């Protein structure tokens, strides 16, 4: 596993975020800050607004009030810069049913606009999809499709990872490989923001927790 | 303070919901009174005092409704588009409210213009509908309004509906001149010059004054509806803010 | 950043996907041919009649085929989450959307244009008229694709998208329909038709400069809603 050191003075900060759906306050005045080398773990029951919060942090949705800054610049003003530093994995994998594993991975990497950190073959082996390089997405299980999406964590040298339920649909072996990858990322100065139903504990990782709902 | 600063100050004040709510409440009664008076003058002047047209007899009197509503149909779309642009650029909620309430009013005026135009067509051309450039443009404008209303009501989230609607209104505003021009051009090809309804070379003063009164009355009527709608929408949207709470507890 | 890479990647991705669903990309063309061949049955097989209605019939059928093909534009990207990744990429959304529209035009618009001379023959249009028909579709159909994509971007993710889409799109198609079919009618009557074609070209330039930006901001709005 390569360990390029990421720049170690980044900061993602949220100030008093408010978001309501159908007159119900889903996100009620949340503020936090995560810096390089830290992990933010967002906990909460179903419907507590975890996904909404992550989508707001990624810039897909806009909060009703409050603001999000990346290195003291509003993410809306510096969208191109922010998107270049960001890897976001949502519920939907973004894997096209008609394209093969390799084609899907290559498209992700073209879209990221960054030089690949690892070649696609290494990434495919890492997620355990060796032998499925040419299978179209529609022949793969949900777990396998998620693994395709996860190759981005190996290939894109981005600073900020925002991951929505990254462990969903994965087996024990993949989960532990992922945990190792998370540690590497944070220790190299990356920032990790994630939600999970499972209570996860990464030792030697500077973790802050945010309870929603 | 320079003129520019004054304008900006006014703009900021108007954008503040509390200030607008208060101002609208003060202006509203006067607007209603003015609308009523002008409409009475226009209707009595147009239906009673204006002489009958030498060609169309009393049938022409429908222009006192038709012409002002046709003018309004375009004017309201313009207001809608300008407010949509303001909303997209400066995120001023009030503009979104104005655009949204305008759509229904504009569609109603357009519909009224179509109906009166087609009723008027019966004595003039002996048929309920003529593919005349103005009526056809008016019909397409109605479709644009209905599309806007349909899009907004299909989206439940108010914020998204506002932005999507604004984009659509602007696309429509760019297209309206093109649609209008193409329809007029198409019409000149397919129709031998028919009696144009509005291009009367000289209109008598006692016909014109009621018409202008009606036109202004229609504009003021639009303003009334806009003020009433905006006030109630503002209360709903700002229900969590301090000024609404104070307003409710004090009354 | 090199902007040609993501453009090409997006274009090839979409073409690849389209060609792997051959049945679906054939649908608009088949629809086009079927609709046009219904008119002689409904109105009259008389060559004189067909000659006079032919230009309008072909133009309306082309317009409806494009409308049909719009239904699936962006749909799968929206459902499988690719759209989120596209919007979160560091490249301008307008650039990627332009690639998407070009791909869409290649698989839905281009076949219509290519097959249109054949339909012109079926409706007894003369050779030089068919040529004008071809040019008018060549200039007009990309406009239909681009303006239609705006409406799709605004309605994507809505439950009743289909009917609403037609309401949003059809009034905006009126100018192209008027100029397009009129160019062909003028050619059939030996009248000048260059003006209409120039209008189509002007509209195409307008749409291709503005619509990618409008489409990408409309998609950004639509995707901010769940």
């Amino acid at each position: 596993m390569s360990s390029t050191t990421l720049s170690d003075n980044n900061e993602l900060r949220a100030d008093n975020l408010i978001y309501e759906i159908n007159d119900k306050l889903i996100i009620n005045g949340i503020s936090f800050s995560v810096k390089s080398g830290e992990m933010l773990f967002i906990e909460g029951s179903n419907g507590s607004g975890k996904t909404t919060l992550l989508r707001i942090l990624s810039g897909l949705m806009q909060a009703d009030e409050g603001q999000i800054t990346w290195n003291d610049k509003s993410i809306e003003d510096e969208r191109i810069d922010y998107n270049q530093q960001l890897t976001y994995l949502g519920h939907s994998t973004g894997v096209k049913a008609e394209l093969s594993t390799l084609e899907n991975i290559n498209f992700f990497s073209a879209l990221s606009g960054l030089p690949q950190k690892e070649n696609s073959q290494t990434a495919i082996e890492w997620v355990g999809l060796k032998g499925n390089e040419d299978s179209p997405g529609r022949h793969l299980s949900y777990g396998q499709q998620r693994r395709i999406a996860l190759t981005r964590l190996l290939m894109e040298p981005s600073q900020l990872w925002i991951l929505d339920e990254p462990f969903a649909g994965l087996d024990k072996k993949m989960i532990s490989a992922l945990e190792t990858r998370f540690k590497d990322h944070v220790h190299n100065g990356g920032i990790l923001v994630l939600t999970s139903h499972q209570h996860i504990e990464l030792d030697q990782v500077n973790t802050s927790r945010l309870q929603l709902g | 303070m320079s003129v520019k600063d004054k304008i900006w100050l006014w703009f900021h004040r108007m954008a503040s919901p509390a200030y607008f709510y208060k101002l609208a409440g003060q202006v509203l009664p006067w607007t209603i009174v003015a609308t009523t008076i002008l409409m009475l003058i226009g209707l009595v002047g147009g239906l009673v005092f204006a002489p009958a047209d030498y060609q169309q007899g009393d049938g022409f009197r429908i222009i006192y409704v038709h012409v002002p509503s046709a003018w309004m149909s375009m004017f309201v779309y313009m207001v809608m588009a300008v407010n949509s642009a303001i909303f997209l650029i400066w995120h001023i909620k009030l503009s979104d409210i104005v655009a949204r309430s305008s759509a229904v009013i504009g569609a109603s005026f357009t519909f009224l213009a179509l109906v009166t135009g087609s009723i008027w067509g019966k004595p003039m051309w002996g048929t309920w509908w003529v593919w005349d450039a103005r009526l056809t443009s008016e019909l397409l404008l109605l479709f644009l309004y209905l599309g806007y209303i349909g899009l907004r009501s299909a989206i439940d989230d108010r914020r998204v509906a506002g932005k999507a609607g604004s984009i659509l209104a602007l696309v429509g505003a760019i297209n309206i001149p093109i649609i209008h021009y193409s329809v007029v051009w198409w019409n000149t090809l397919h129709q031998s010059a028919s009696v144009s309804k509005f291009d009367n070379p000289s209109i008598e003063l006692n016909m014109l004054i009621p018409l202008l009164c009606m036109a202004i009355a229609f504009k003021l009527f639009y303003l009334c509806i806009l003020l009433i709608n905006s006030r109630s929408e503002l209360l709903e949207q700002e229900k969590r803010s301090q000024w609404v709470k104070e307003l409710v507890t004090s009354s | 950043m090199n902007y040609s890479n993501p453009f090409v990647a997006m274009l090839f991705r979409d073409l690849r996907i389209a060609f792997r669903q051959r049945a679906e990309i054939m649908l608009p063309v088949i629809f086009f041919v079927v609709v046009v061949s219904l008119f002689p049955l409904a109105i009259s097989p008389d060559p004189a009649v067909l000659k006079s209605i032919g230009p309008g019939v072909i133009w309306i059928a082309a317009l409806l085929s494009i409308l049909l093909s719009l239904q699936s534009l962006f749909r799968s990207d929206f459902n499988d989450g690719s759209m989120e990744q596209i919007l979160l990429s560091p490249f301008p959304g307008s650039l990627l959307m332009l690639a998407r529209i070009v791909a869409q035009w290649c698989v839905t618009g281009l076949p219509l244009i290519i097959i249109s001379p054949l339909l012109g023959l079926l409706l007894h249009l003369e050779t030089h008229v068919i040529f004008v028909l071809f040019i008018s579709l060549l200039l007009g159909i990309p406009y239909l694709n681009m303006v239609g994509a705006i409406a799709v971007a605004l309605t994507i993710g809505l439950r009743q998208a289909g009917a609403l889409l037609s309401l949003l799109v059809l009034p905006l198609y009126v100018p192209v329909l008027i100029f397009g079919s009129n160019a062909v009618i003028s050619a059939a009557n030996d009248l000048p038709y260059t003006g209409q074609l120039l209008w189509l070209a002007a509209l195409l330039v307008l749409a291709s400069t503005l619509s990618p930006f409008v489409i990408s901001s409309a998609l950004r709005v639509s995707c901010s809603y769940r």
Side-chain angles (χ1 to χ4, degrees), chain A residues 7 9-13 69-73 81 85 191:
Chain A
S7 138
N9 45 12
N10 290 311
E11 186 191 17
L12 177 72
R13 176 192 283 280
T69 53
W70 173 252
N71 298 337
D72 295 325
K73 282 180 214 139
D81 189 41
Q85 323 257 14
I191 299 178

Side-chain angles (χ1 to χ4, degrees), chain C residues 16-111:
Chain C
R16 213 173 253 151
I17 292 173
F19 286 115
R20 287 183 189 166
Q21 311 169 302
R22 256 166 256 126
E24 274 180 48
I25 69 166
M26 289 309 288
L27 221 56
V29 189
I30 296 171
F31 179 81
F32 185 45
V33 176
V34 171
V35 168
V36 169
S37 52
L38 288 180
F39 276 84
L41 300 175
I43 299 174
S44 154
D46 177 10
V49 173
L50 291 181
K51 245 180 225 179
S52 75
I53 62 163
V57 165
I58 293 179
W59 257 97
I60 290 181
L63 192 147
L64 294 178
S65 310
I66 293 292
L67 185 62
L68 182 74
S69 75
L70 286 177
Q71 312 273 350
S72 61
L73 178 67
F74 302 138
R75 169 85 37 85
S76 77
D77 284 343
F78 187 78
N79 289 339
D80 65 19
S82 323
M83 194 53 85
E84 290 174 358
Q85 299 303 337
I86 289 168
L87 293 176
L88 290 180
S89 97
F91 299 104
S94 48
L95 178 84
L96 299 170
M97 285 313 128
L98 188 63
R100 182 76 191 83
I101 304 300
V102 171
Q104 173 80 1
W105 175 79
C106 287
V107 295
T108 64
L110 197 55

Side-chain angles (χ1 to χ4, degrees), chain C residues 107-126:
Chain C
V107 295
T108 64
L110 197 55
L112 301 186
I113 299 171
I114 292 173
I115 207 158
S116 63
L118 192 71
L119 295 176
L121 282 180
L122 285 183
L123 297 184
H124 298 281
L125 300 184
E126 288 155 44

Side-chain angles (χ1 to χ4, degrees), chain A residues 12-213:
Chain A
L12 177 72
R13 176 192 283 280
D15 269 322
N16 202 19
L17 297 180
I18 291 180
Y19 191 83
E20 57 166 54
I21 296 175
N22 301 329
D23 294 336
K24 200 175 144 224
L25 276 175
I26 297 291
I27 291 169
N28 190 359
I30 286 176
S31 304
F32 62 80
S33 145
V34 241
K35 294 194 177 71
S36 287
E38 290 179 354
M39 169 174 123
L40 176 68
F41 185 52
I42 299 172
E43 296 168 297
S45 49
N46 288 331
S48 59
K50 296 193 298 280
T51 296
T52 307
L53 179 58
L54 289 197
R55 286 171 65 86
I56 290 175
L57 290 178
S58 71
L60 283 172
M61 290 165 84
Q62 280 79 45
D64 291 330
E65 273 164 55
Q67 86 163 345
I68 302 163
T69 53
W70 173 252
N71 298 337
D72 295 325
K73 282 180 214 139
S74 161
I75 61 166
E76 295 200 23
D77 302 340
E78 302 283 329
R79 206 196 294 273
I80 289 179
D81 189 41
Y82 184 65
N83 285 356
Q84 200 160 26
Q85 323 257 14
L86 168 72
T87 294
Y88 168 81
L89 287 183
H91 278 297
S92 345
T93 53
V95 170
K96 301 302 292 184
E98 295 83 3
L99 299 183
S100 73
T101 305
L102 198 58
E103 286 166 339
N104 269 306
I105 291 176
N106 288 341
F107 180 68
F108 283 144
S109 98
L111 209 55
S112 76
L114 298 168
Q116 291 185 6
K117 239 173 66 170
E118 298 284 340
N119 70 38
S120 14
Q121 208 53 48
T122 320
I124 288 178
E125 276 170 38
W126 180 64
V127 295
L129 284 176
K130 200 164 160 36
N132 284 315
E133 287 89 343
D134 296 324
S135 326
R138 85 171 81 81
H139 290 170
L140 301 175
S141 71
Y142 177 68
Q144 286 173 314
Q145 293 189 2
R146 285 209 64 98
R147 285 161 186 249
I148 296 181
L150 289 172
T151 58
R152 298 175 51 212
L153 299 183
L154 202 63
M155 295 177 58
E156 296 174 9
S158 52
Q159 319 256 352
L160 170 63
W161 292 357
I162 297 183
L163 313 177
D164 198 354
E165 300 283 349
F167 300 123
L170 299 179
D171 57 25
K172 275 222 173 75
K173 192 160 159 256
M174 190 66 226
I175 291 181
S176 92
L178 212 50
E179 284 178 346
T180 316
R181 185 78 195 97
F182 288 169
K183 276 186 214 164
D184 273 3
H185 177 68
V186 174
H187 287 153
N188 285 328
I191 299 178
L192 179 59
V193 177
L194 60 85
T195 63
S196 177
H197 285 302
Q198 287 148 291
H199 187 83
I200 60 157
E201 201 74 61
L202 297 180
D203 30 304
Q204 299 149 12
V205 168
N206 197 345
T207 308
S208 42
R209 288 170 194 279
L210 187 66
Q211 184 71 40
L212 287 186

Side-chain angles (χ1 to χ4, degrees), chain C residues 103-184:
Chain C
Q104 173 80 1
W105 175 79
C106 287
V107 295
T108 64
L110 197 55
L112 301 186
I113 299 171
I114 292 173
I115 207 158
S116 63
L118 192 71
L119 295 176
L121 282 180
L122 285 183
L123 297 184
H124 298 281
L125 300 184
E126 288 155 44
T127 320
H128 75 283
V129 180
I130 290 178
F131 175 71
V132 176
L133 174 73
F134 185 81
I135 301 291
S136 72
L137 288 172
L138 194 62
L139 292 169
I141 285 192
Y143 180 91
L144 302 183
N145 281 122
M146 283 186 275
V147 172
I150 298 176
V152 179
L154 287 170
T155 53
I156 192 85
L158 299 180
R159 276 177 295 278
Q160 296 298 321
L164 186 59
L165 182 65
S166 335
L167 178 60
L168 297 190
V169 159
L170 291 178
L172 301 178
Y173 280 180
V174 165
V176 165
L177 180 69
I178 289 179
F179 291 123
S181 58
N182 196 271
V184 188

